[in-house]
Amino acid sequence: MKDFLPYRNLYVGSIEILKAVFLENKYTDKEIEKCFKRNKQWGSRDRGFVAELIYECVRWKRLINYASGNSLEQKNYWKFIATWMIINDAEIPDLDEFKSLKINREKVKKNFRDAHRDPAIEQSVSEELKALGLQQLPERFWKEIQVMNQPAPAILRTNTLVNSRSELIKKLKKENVEVKPLQKFPEALVLAEKENIFLTQAFKDGSFEMQDVSSQQVAHFCEVKPGMRVADACAGAGGKSLHLSALMENKGQIISMDIYEWKLKELKRRAKRNHSHNVQIKFIESSKTIKRFHQSFDRVLIDAPCTGIGILGRNPDAKYKIDFSFFDRVLREQKEILRNYAEMVKKEGLLIYATCSIFPAENRQQVQAFLEENQNFEFVEDRMLWPSETGYDGFYMAKMRRLKV
């Protein structure tokens, strides 16, 4: 960060968010959203400053705490934020709460320099995530973490049901939003500067969605065609369902399923805005819901629940939520979902398994275990997207075909 605004109320609001995230294990994006609703008088500059400050403080929580001399254990959030300012060589605002701290800048700087001795402190990950990461990726864990500790770029996906990419660029230009096309990805655009694009008329008209490049590749990987019957089995709020709908030109049928009804309600709202008429939502009430769709889909996409280790650039709070207990629970859930949901694939249909994880146990090892237990499926191909190689989110996707027999 460069400029730290001098307004006390912004720091009071920021500290409320940090306490919720650090002490109550709440999600950063949700707490920022709540804070903005409580402070409707804040302008766009204020909101942008608070959002950036919070994400940086969450991303570098352990490093800042170490440099500050354990301010979080002292429950001194003003000191925590002031330490981040010192690390950034910024002037601390002339506020009473900051002035009363009497921080030794040189001591903070020394602690910051000393942090490089321990990569877990330097890269701000928990000891448990460090152990898990080195177990899963002994050769490349720190390389991937280093890349994912950078803020993720803001990527748009053109909704081709509404406009082409070139048409979208013109629409956004009229609204003073500058974007650049990403040549290797047919629908992708990157925002030149961070701004609230959800207020644009183009967004309200369904002309685009926010979706990382890696996530955009999953729908293409499914090889869908107009007229097919497709299941998005762990649809959530439906980013991939909407992309599949566009690739299918609104022809055929997409059944978007999830065990969380509130996510499907959000998907229904988004589908209406996106003009995605071939998307139907289906709440999974029990295993009977899946059994009713036995061998009835040309494609079944399982965007499986995972640790989310591949999207730390967007969700830095996940660094402190991932531990061995959570990891083991996720592996069991993935295995069960694969086994049960695969039954929905037609003979000669494709099963696509995807995660936003870079851990082999969640990815290729899950696929290999499934294929060993299910001889009626064959491996087609898989793809691992490493943040260190792409600069985007970490993703895995695998394709399997159900045999005729």
Side-chain angles (χ1 to χ4, degrees), residues 344-367:
M344 297 191 292
V345 183
K346 281 181 181 178
K347 289 179 180 179
E348 298 190 274
L350 295 178
L351 172 65
I352 297 90
Y353 174 79
T355 75
C356 53
S357 174
I358 57 174
F359 286 157
E362 296 184 77
N363 297 331
R364 184 167 289 178
Q365 290 172 24
Q366 285 284 27
V367 170

Side-chain angles (χ1 to χ4, degrees), residues 217-218 221-223 350-355 357 359-360 362-369 371 378-386 395-401:
Q217 293 185 55
V218 175
F221 190 72
C222 292
E223 295 182 62
L350 295 178
L351 172 65
I352 297 90
Y353 174 79
T355 75
S357 174
F359 286 157
E362 296 184 77
N363 297 331
R364 184 167 289 178
Q365 290 172 24
Q366 285 284 27
V367 170
Q368 288 171 340
L371 291 171
E378 65 177 0
F379 178 79
V380 179
E381 64 172 315
D382 68 354
R383 192 179 299 169
M384 182 69 238
L385 304 177
W386 298 103
F395 253 83
Y396 174 80
M397 56 200 85
K399 197 180 298 175
M400 293 158 277
R401 181 179 288 107

